[in-house]
PDB file of all heavy atoms in Angstrom:
ATOM      1  N   THR E   5      31.736  12.945 -21.031  1.00 35.00           N
ATOM      2  CA  THR E   5      30.382  12.451 -20.836  1.00 35.00           C
ATOM      3  C   THR E   5      29.768  12.990 -19.575  1.00 35.00           C
ATOM      4  O   THR E   5      28.571  12.989 -19.402  1.00 35.00           O
ATOM      5  CB  THR E   5      30.350  10.910 -20.768  1.00 35.00           C
ATOM      6  OG1 THR E   5      31.171  10.459 -19.707  1.00 35.00           O
ATOM      7  CG2 THR E   5      30.862  10.300 -22.035  1.00 35.00           C
ATOM      8  N   LYS E   6      30.587  13.523 -18.641  1.00 41.00           N
ATOM      9  CA  LYS E   6      30.055  14.082 -17.423  1.00 41.00           C
ATOM     10  C   LYS E   6      29.637  15.538 -17.587  1.00 41.00           C
ATOM     11  O   LYS E   6      29.157  16.156 -16.658  1.00 41.00           O
ATOM     12  CB  LYS E   6      31.103  13.974 -16.304  1.00 41.00           C
ATOM     13  CG  LYS E   6      31.311  12.543 -15.803  1.00 41.00           C
ATOM     14  CD  LYS E   6      32.270  12.509 -14.641  1.00 41.00           C
ATOM     15  CE  LYS E   6      32.470  11.106 -14.132  1.00 41.00           C
ATOM     16  NZ  LYS E   6      33.410  11.019 -12.993  1.00 41.00           N
ATOM     17  N   ASN E  13      21.815   8.840 -25.241  1.00 95.00           N
ATOM     18  CA  ASN E  13      20.891   8.614 -26.345  1.00 95.00           C
ATOM     19  C   ASN E  13      19.793   7.671 -25.932  1.00 95.00           C
ATOM     20  O   ASN E  13      20.026   6.603 -25.412  1.00 95.00           O
ATOM     21  CB  ASN E  13      21.669   8.021 -27.546  1.00 95.00           C
ATOM     22  CG  ASN E  13      22.623   9.007 -28.187  1.00 95.00           C
ATOM     23  OD1 ASN E  13      22.370  10.207 -28.197  1.00 95.00           O
ATOM     24  ND2 ASN E  13      23.727   8.495 -28.726  1.00 95.00           N
ATOM     25  N   PRO E  29      12.955  17.654 -23.365  1.00 96.00           N
ATOM     26  CA  PRO E  29      13.373  18.019 -22.008  1.00 96.00           C
ATOM     27  C   PRO E  29      13.019  16.878 -21.034  1.00 96.00           C
ATOM     28  O   PRO E  29      12.046  16.133 -21.260  1.00 96.00           O
ATOM     29  CB  PRO E  29      12.581  19.274 -21.728  1.00 96.00           C
ATOM     30  CG  PRO E  29      12.156  19.840 -23.044  1.00 96.00           C
ATOM     31  CD  PRO E  29      12.027  18.637 -23.942  1.00 96.00           C
ATOM     32  N   ALA E  52      -4.360  19.939  -9.194  1.00 96.00           N
ATOM     33  CA  ALA E  52      -3.359  20.605  -8.351  1.00 96.00           C
ATOM     34  C   ALA E  52      -1.949  20.224  -8.782  1.00 96.00           C
ATOM     35  O   ALA E  52      -1.046  21.067  -8.859  1.00 96.00           O
ATOM     36  CB  ALA E  52      -3.593  20.248  -6.884  1.00 96.00           C
ATOM     37  N   PHE E  94      -0.752  -0.467 -12.616  1.00 96.00           N
ATOM     38  CA  PHE E  94      -1.427  -1.790 -12.486  1.00 96.00           C
ATOM     39  C   PHE E  94      -0.537  -2.778 -11.716  1.00 96.00           C
ATOM     40  O   PHE E  94       0.672  -2.843 -11.917  1.00 96.00           O
ATOM     41  CB  PHE E  94      -1.743  -2.335 -13.891  1.00 96.00           C
ATOM     42  CG  PHE E  94      -2.769  -1.549 -14.604  1.00 96.00           C
ATOM     43  CD1 PHE E  94      -2.385  -0.626 -15.581  1.00 96.00           C
ATOM     44  CD2 PHE E  94      -4.105  -1.750 -14.369  1.00 96.00           C
ATOM     45  CE1 PHE E  94      -3.346   0.101 -16.280  1.00 96.00           C
ATOM     46  CE2 PHE E  94      -5.068  -1.013 -15.059  1.00 96.00           C
ATOM     47  CZ  PHE E  94      -4.716  -0.111 -16.019  1.00 96.00           C
ATOM     48  N   TYR E  96      -0.958  -7.057 -10.127  1.00 88.00           N
ATOM     49  CA  TYR E  96      -1.689  -8.273  -9.864  1.00 88.00           C
ATOM     50  C   TYR E  96      -2.832  -8.575 -10.865  1.00 88.00           C
ATOM     51  O   TYR E  96      -2.797  -9.601 -11.546  1.00 88.00           O
ATOM     52  CB  TYR E  96      -2.285  -8.259  -8.437  1.00 88.00           C
ATOM     53  CG  TYR E  96      -1.245  -8.076  -7.377  1.00 88.00           C
ATOM     54  CD1 TYR E  96      -1.156  -6.857  -6.669  1.00 88.00           C
ATOM     55  CD2 TYR E  96      -0.264  -9.058  -7.126  1.00 88.00           C
ATOM     56  CE1 TYR E  96      -0.175  -6.675  -5.717  1.00 88.00           C
ATOM     57  CE2 TYR E  96       0.749  -8.840  -6.163  1.00 88.00           C
ATOM     58  CZ  TYR E  96       0.777  -7.651  -5.495  1.00 88.00           C
ATOM     59  OH  TYR E  96       1.735  -7.457  -4.528  1.00 88.00           O
ATOM     60  N   GLU E 103      -8.999  -5.662 -19.630  1.00 96.00           N
ATOM     61  CA  GLU E 103      -9.885  -6.427 -20.520  1.00 96.00           C
ATOM     62  C   GLU E 103     -11.337  -6.148 -20.242  1.00 96.00           C
ATOM     63  O   GLU E 103     -12.163  -6.020 -21.136  1.00 96.00           O
ATOM     64  CB  GLU E 103      -9.592  -7.908 -20.391  1.00 96.00           C
ATOM     65  CG  GLU E 103     -10.430  -8.811 -21.264  1.00 96.00           C
ATOM     66  CD  GLU E 103     -10.089 -10.292 -21.116  1.00 96.00           C
ATOM     67  OE1 GLU E 103      -9.114 -10.610 -20.393  1.00 96.00           O
ATOM     68  OE2 GLU E 103     -10.817 -11.105 -21.725  1.00 96.00           O
ATOM     69  N   PRO E 119       6.715  -6.231 -13.669  1.00 88.00           N
ATOM     70  CA  PRO E 119       6.949  -7.620 -14.002  1.00 88.00           C
ATOM     71  C   PRO E 119       6.972  -8.543 -12.782  1.00 88.00           C
ATOM     72  O   PRO E 119       6.740  -9.728 -12.901  1.00 88.00           O
ATOM     73  CB  PRO E 119       8.341  -7.628 -14.673  1.00 88.00           C
ATOM     74  CG  PRO E 119       8.529  -6.232 -15.131  1.00 88.00           C
ATOM     75  CD  PRO E 119       7.828  -5.373 -14.108  1.00 88.00           C
ATOM     76  N   PRO E 145       1.699   3.461 -25.009  1.00 98.00           N
ATOM     77  CA  PRO E 145       3.032   3.019 -24.529  1.00 98.00           C
ATOM     78  C   PRO E 145       2.940   2.428 -23.135  1.00 98.00           C
ATOM     79  O   PRO E 145       1.885   2.562 -22.464  1.00 98.00           O
ATOM     80  CB  PRO E 145       3.799   4.338 -24.477  1.00 98.00           C
ATOM     81  CG  PRO E 145       2.752   5.392 -24.237  1.00 98.00           C
ATOM     82  CD  PRO E 145       1.536   4.918 -24.957  1.00 98.00           C
ATOM     83  N   ARG E 147       5.180   1.511 -19.381  1.00 98.00           N
ATOM     84  CA  ARG E 147       6.401   1.529 -18.567  1.00 98.00           C
ATOM     85  C   ARG E 147       6.540   0.163 -17.936  1.00 98.00           C
ATOM     86  O   ARG E 147       5.667  -0.229 -17.171  1.00 98.00           O
ATOM     87  CB  ARG E 147       6.421   2.626 -17.524  1.00 98.00           C
ATOM     88  CG  ARG E 147       7.601   2.450 -16.564  1.00 98.00           C
ATOM     89  CD  ARG E 147       7.921   3.692 -15.788  1.00 98.00           C
ATOM     90  NE  ARG E 147       6.940   4.053 -14.775  1.00 98.00           N
ATOM     91  CZ  ARG E 147       7.077   3.750 -13.451  1.00 98.00           C
ATOM     92  NH1 ARG E 147       8.068   3.049 -13.015  1.00 98.00           N
ATOM     93  NH2 ARG E 147       6.140   4.127 -12.624  1.00 98.00           N
ATOM     94  N   LEU E 163      19.335 -16.377 -11.189  1.00 80.00           N
ATOM     95  CA  LEU E 163      20.635 -15.676 -11.207  1.00 80.00           C
ATOM     96  C   LEU E 163      21.474 -16.040  -9.979  1.00 80.00           C
ATOM     97  O   LEU E 163      22.743 -16.105 -10.045  1.00 80.00           O
ATOM     98  CB  LEU E 163      20.433 -14.165 -11.256  1.00 80.00           C
ATOM     99  CG  LEU E 163      19.817 -13.618 -12.553  1.00 80.00           C
ATOM    100  CD1 LEU E 163      19.800 -12.117 -12.520  1.00 80.00           C
ATOM    101  CD2 LEU E 163      20.546 -14.118 -13.780  1.00 80.00           C
ATOM    102  N   MET E 164      20.832 -16.324  -8.874  1.00 79.00           N
ATOM    103  CA  MET E 164      21.587 -16.733  -7.664  1.00 79.00           C
ATOM    104  C   MET E 164      22.244 -18.106  -7.921  1.00 79.00           C
ATOM    105  O   MET E 164      23.395 -18.342  -7.502  1.00 79.00           O
ATOM    106  CB  MET E 164      20.640 -16.799  -6.468  1.00 79.00           C
ATOM    107  CG  MET E 164      20.174 -15.477  -5.973  1.00 79.00           C
ATOM    108  SD  MET E 164      21.504 -14.513  -5.170  1.00 79.00           S
ATOM    109  CE  MET E 164      21.739 -15.447  -3.689  1.00 79.00           C
ATOM    110  N   GLU E 175      28.693 -10.725  -4.607  1.00 82.00           N
ATOM    111  CA  GLU E 175      27.905 -10.472  -3.395  1.00 82.00           C
ATOM    112  C   GLU E 175      26.439 -10.341  -3.766  1.00 82.00           C
ATOM    113  O   GLU E 175      26.083  -9.982  -4.896  1.00 82.00           O
ATOM    114  CB  GLU E 175      28.393  -9.185  -2.710  1.00 82.00           C
ATOM    115  CG  GLU E 175      29.838  -9.247  -2.202  1.00 82.00           C
ATOM    116  CD  GLU E 175      29.972 -10.208  -1.045  1.00 82.00           C
ATOM    117  OE1 GLU E 175      28.992 -10.385  -0.268  1.00 82.00           O
ATOM    118  OE2 GLU E 175      31.042 -10.843  -0.932  1.00 82.00           O
ATOM    119  N   GLU E 190      14.521  -8.203 -20.129  1.00 93.00           N
ATOM    120  CA  GLU E 190      13.861  -9.417 -20.630  1.00 93.00           C
ATOM    121  C   GLU E 190      12.397  -9.151 -20.930  1.00 93.00           C
ATOM    122  O   GLU E 190      11.847  -9.648 -21.943  1.00 93.00           O
ATOM    123  CB  GLU E 190      14.014 -10.572 -19.643  1.00 93.00           C
ATOM    124  CG  GLU E 190      15.447 -11.131 -19.555  1.00 93.00           C
ATOM    125  CD  GLU E 190      15.601 -12.265 -18.565  1.00 93.00           C
ATOM    126  OE1 GLU E 190      14.527 -12.735 -18.073  1.00 93.00           O
ATOM    127  OE2 GLU E 190      16.734 -12.666 -18.267  1.00 93.00           O
ATOM    128  N   SER E 208      12.094   1.294 -15.994  1.00 96.00           N
ATOM    129  CA  SER E 208      12.548   1.806 -14.713  1.00 96.00           C
ATOM    130  C   SER E 208      12.981   0.642 -13.845  1.00 96.00           C
ATOM    131  O   SER E 208      12.442  -0.469 -13.937  1.00 96.00           O
ATOM    132  CB  SER E 208      11.455   2.632 -13.983  1.00 96.00           C
ATOM    133  OG  SER E 208      10.379   1.802 -13.611  1.00 96.00           O
ATOM    134  N   SER E 212      15.361   1.785  -3.075  1.00 86.00           N
ATOM    135  CA  SER E 212      15.258   2.843  -2.059  1.00 86.00           C
ATOM    136  C   SER E 212      16.597   3.229  -1.455  1.00 86.00           C
ATOM    137  O   SER E 212      16.641   4.034  -0.511  1.00 86.00           O
ATOM    138  CB  SER E 212      14.263   2.411  -0.963  1.00 86.00           C
ATOM    139  OG  SER E 212      14.697   1.218  -0.349  1.00 86.00           O
ATOM    140  N   ALA E 239      11.365   7.010  -0.879  1.00 74.00           N
ATOM    141  CA  ALA E 239      12.463   7.876  -0.510  1.00 74.00           C
ATOM    142  C   ALA E 239      12.352   8.311   0.963  1.00 74.00           C
ATOM    143  O   ALA E 239      13.374   8.567   1.611  1.00 74.00           O
ATOM    144  CB  ALA E 239      12.503   9.110  -1.406  1.00 74.00           C
ATOM    145  N   ALA E 248      17.710  12.379  -0.065  1.00 94.00           N
ATOM    146  CA  ALA E 248      18.026  11.112  -0.687  1.00 94.00           C
ATOM    147  C   ALA E 248      17.714  11.131  -2.166  1.00 94.00           C
ATOM    148  O   ALA E 248      18.523  10.678  -3.003  1.00 94.00           O
ATOM    149  CB  ALA E 248      17.251   9.972   0.017  1.00 94.00           C
ATOM    150  N   PHE E 296      11.709  26.236 -14.691  1.00 90.00           N
ATOM    151  CA  PHE E 296      10.277  26.105 -14.444  1.00 90.00           C
ATOM    152  C   PHE E 296       9.665  27.362 -13.839  1.00 90.00           C
ATOM    153  O   PHE E 296       8.547  27.722 -14.142  1.00 90.00           O
ATOM    154  CB  PHE E 296      10.008  24.957 -13.466  1.00 90.00           C
ATOM    155  CG  PHE E 296      10.348  23.593 -14.067  1.00 90.00           C
ATOM    156  CD1 PHE E 296      11.589  23.024 -13.767  1.00 90.00           C
ATOM    157  CD2 PHE E 296       9.468  22.905 -14.857  1.00 90.00           C
ATOM    158  CE1 PHE E 296      11.932  21.775 -14.272  1.00 90.00           C
ATOM    159  CE2 PHE E 296       9.814  21.663 -15.377  1.00 90.00           C
ATOM    160  CZ  PHE E 296      11.069  21.114 -15.094  1.00 90.00           C
ATOM    161  N   GLN E 315      13.376  37.230   6.033  1.00 79.00           N
ATOM    162  CA  GLN E 315      12.831  35.890   5.896  1.00 79.00           C
ATOM    163  C   GLN E 315      11.386  35.905   5.425  1.00 79.00           C
ATOM    164  O   GLN E 315      10.994  35.147   4.525  1.00 79.00           O
ATOM    165  CB  GLN E 315      12.908  35.162   7.267  1.00 79.00           C
ATOM    166  CG  GLN E 315      14.331  35.016   7.802  1.00 79.00           C
ATOM    167  CD  GLN E 315      14.321  34.613   9.250  1.00 79.00           C
ATOM    168  OE1 GLN E 315      13.312  34.652   9.911  1.00 79.00           O
ATOM    169  NE2 GLN E 315      15.487  34.224   9.760  1.00 79.00           N
ATOM    170  N   ALA E 345      16.579  38.082  -6.038  1.00 89.00           N
ATOM    171  CA  ALA E 345      17.412  37.970  -4.834  1.00 89.00           C
ATOM    172  C   ALA E 345      16.768  38.803  -3.716  1.00 89.00           C
ATOM    173  O   ALA E 345      16.423  39.949  -3.934  1.00 89.00           O
ATOM    174  CB  ALA E 345      18.835  38.485  -5.153  1.00 89.00           C
ATOM    175  N   ASP E 380      18.256  44.683 -13.207  1.00 93.00           N
ATOM    176  CA  ASP E 380      19.245  44.446 -14.284  1.00 93.00           C
ATOM    177  C   ASP E 380      20.617  44.998 -13.894  1.00 93.00           C
ATOM    178  O   ASP E 380      21.305  45.602 -14.747  1.00 93.00           O
ATOM    179  CB  ASP E 380      18.757  45.016 -15.608  1.00 93.00           C
ATOM    180  CG  ASP E 380      17.525  44.300 -16.145  1.00 93.00           C
ATOM    181  OD1 ASP E 380      17.372  43.105 -15.841  1.00 93.00           O
ATOM    182  OD2 ASP E 380      16.721  44.942 -16.851  1.00 93.00           O
ATOM    183  N   LYS E 382      21.451  47.432 -11.898  1.00 92.00           N
ATOM    184  CA  LYS E 382      21.584  48.853 -11.527  1.00 92.00           C
ATOM    185  C   LYS E 382      20.576  49.228 -10.445  1.00 92.00           C
ATOM    186  O   LYS E 382      19.444  48.755 -10.455  1.00 92.00           O
ATOM    187  CB  LYS E 382      21.344  49.719 -12.774  1.00 92.00           C
ATOM    188  CG  LYS E 382      22.402  49.499 -13.884  1.00 92.00           C
ATOM    189  CD  LYS E 382      22.095  50.380 -15.068  1.00 92.00           C
ATOM    190  CE  LYS E 382      23.148  50.197 -16.173  1.00 92.00           C
ATOM    191  NZ  LYS E 382      22.860  51.037 -17.343  1.00 92.00           N
ATOM    192  N   ALA E 415      -3.072  37.826 -22.990  1.00 59.00           N
ATOM    193  CA  ALA E 415      -2.989  39.085 -22.220  1.00 59.00           C
ATOM    194  C   ALA E 415      -2.296  38.848 -20.954  1.00 59.00           C
ATOM    195  O   ALA E 415      -2.395  37.785 -20.337  1.00 59.00           O
ATOM    196  CB  ALA E 415      -4.380  39.659 -22.008  1.00 59.00           C
ATOM    197  N   ALA E 423      -2.377  40.874  -6.383  1.00 36.00           N
ATOM    198  CA  ALA E 423      -2.017  39.823  -5.416  1.00 36.00           C
ATOM    199  C   ALA E 423      -1.221  40.405  -4.256  1.00 36.00           C
ATOM    200  O   ALA E 423      -1.072  39.771  -3.226  1.00 36.00           O
ATOM    201  CB  ALA E 423      -1.246  38.723  -6.077  1.00 36.00           C
TER     202      ALA E 423
END
Side-chain angles (χ1 to χ4, degrees):
T5 59
K6 289 183 179 180
N13 290 327
F94 293 99
Y96 305 109
E103 182 179 354
R147 170 162 71 97
L163 293 186
M164 289 291 290
E175 296 292 329
E190 288 179 11
S208 67
S212 57
F296 295 95
Q315 299 167 347
D380 294 331
K382 297 180 179 179

